[in-house]
Amino acid sequence: MKMDTSILKRAGAQSAALDFSEENARIAEVTAEIDRTEAAITTAEQRCTEISRELVDYRGPNASAVAEAMLSGVAPAQAAAAAPNRAELEAERGALRSGIRELRQRVEDLQAEVAGIQRAAFLRVRPAVQEVVKTLTDEARAAAQKIIDAAVALDAIAYATKQGDHEAGAVRRAAAGVIGQDRLIPGRRDYPVPPEIVSLLQNLAGKRPALPARFVSDVEITPPLR
């Protein structure tokens, strides 16, 4: 491939001039906040797991702990209330789970912010490369049209002379790949045989019965199924 160097130089200069320092600084801040939030989620999840294990093993207040508290001078009612109980453990776990949901939503919002910054950054790149994209696409479309023209010509030759069937099939398959919706060349049913090929093959007319050549003016190329 050989492109106009001036196009590439312009694209290179515009690309190099792009400054994303502000965006990168914000992404660094957001990433740090995501890491801090995910660390908090991990800690909360670990505590939820601990509570679940405690609830499985729970057999009521720890009598030994209550007794020791009473011996240390704590009033009996306070000593009993200080011991963990199922309701408090379940309430703590429920609160932690609510907090985890909130933190996960914050992580999603932060990740969405990063994605939005990146989308905007890519949009800023578009003017720098759009001329290169257009030039390459135009070149590809011209090359595709040449393939189609060659496929039609080879088909016409093969039909008239029974020569070049293999080559015609190979080029036809290549042509079919560039025809159709969302492809380089809009689809159509028939493609006219180039006039110079029609003129060439007409030299074989009138040579029957030894050479019963057949001629076509149009060739059908069907795009492949999606």
Side-chain angles (χ1 to χ4, degrees):
M1 180 189 70
K2 187 176 182 180
M3 281 190 63
D4 185 343
T5 56
S6 64
I7 294 175
L8 294 174
K9 286 180 180 178
R10 283 194 296 273
Q14 291 176 36
S15 298
L18 291 170
D19 181 9
F20 295 107
S21 55
E22 182 177 341
E23 290 88 343
N24 287 333
R26 179 54 186 160
I27 287 176
E29 293 175 358
V30 174
T31 300
E33 183 64 16
I34 289 173
D35 291 343
R36 189 173 73 88
T37 306
E38 288 181 335
I41 290 172
T42 298
T43 300
E45 287 177 334
Q46 290 172 345
R47 176 54 185 156
C48 284
T49 300
E50 292 173 1
I51 292 173
S52 295
R53 289 172 180 162
E54 290 180 33
L55 287 171
V56 169
D57 298 334
Y58 187 75
R59 298 293 182 272
N62 188 315
S64 177
V66 173
E68 290 297 328
M70 293 170 64
L71 288 173
S72 65
V74 177
Q78 292 177 331
N85 63 69
R86 176 175 290 276
E88 289 178 350
L89 290 171
E90 290 178 342
E92 180 185 354
R93 185 175 63 179
L96 286 171
R97 286 175 173 172
S98 296
I100 289 170
R101 284 193 295 271
E102 170 64 23
L103 291 176
R104 284 177 175 158
Q105 182 59 56
R106 292 185 186 182
V107 169
E108 290 182 9
D109 292 342
L110 291 168
Q111 290 172 335
E113 181 180 350
V114 171
I117 293 171
Q118 291 171 335
R119 283 194 300 271
F122 279 118
L123 288 176
R124 288 179 59 194
V125 175
R126 180 185 295 171
V129 298
Q130 62 184 0
E131 188 178 9
V132 176
V133 171
K134 182 180 184 305
T135 299
L136 291 172
T137 303
D138 289 345
E139 290 180 358
R141 186 169 288 111
Q145 187 59 58
K146 287 182 179 180
I147 293 174
I148 294 171
D149 292 343
V152 172
L154 286 167
D155 260 16
I157 292 171
Y159 188 75
T161 68
K162 301 188 182 301
Q163 303 301 312
D165 284 336
H166 175 75
E167 293 84 350
V171 179
R172 169 187 280 274
R173 287 189 291 274
V178 300
I179 294 172
Q181 186 178 3
D182 297 329
R183 291 189 169 93
L184 289 168
I185 305 296
R188 52 185 291 185
R189 182 174 179 81
D190 298 313
Y191 295 83
V193 178
E196 59 272 25
I197 300 301
V198 173
S199 178
L200 165 67
L201 295 176
Q202 283 301 316
N203 290 310
L204 301 177
K207 300 187 183 296
R208 292 174 179 268
L211 187 69
R214 296 180 297 173
F215 308 104
V216 292
S217 58
D218 297 283
V219 171
E220 180 179 349
I221 298 180
T222 305
L225 296 176
R226 288 181 176 273

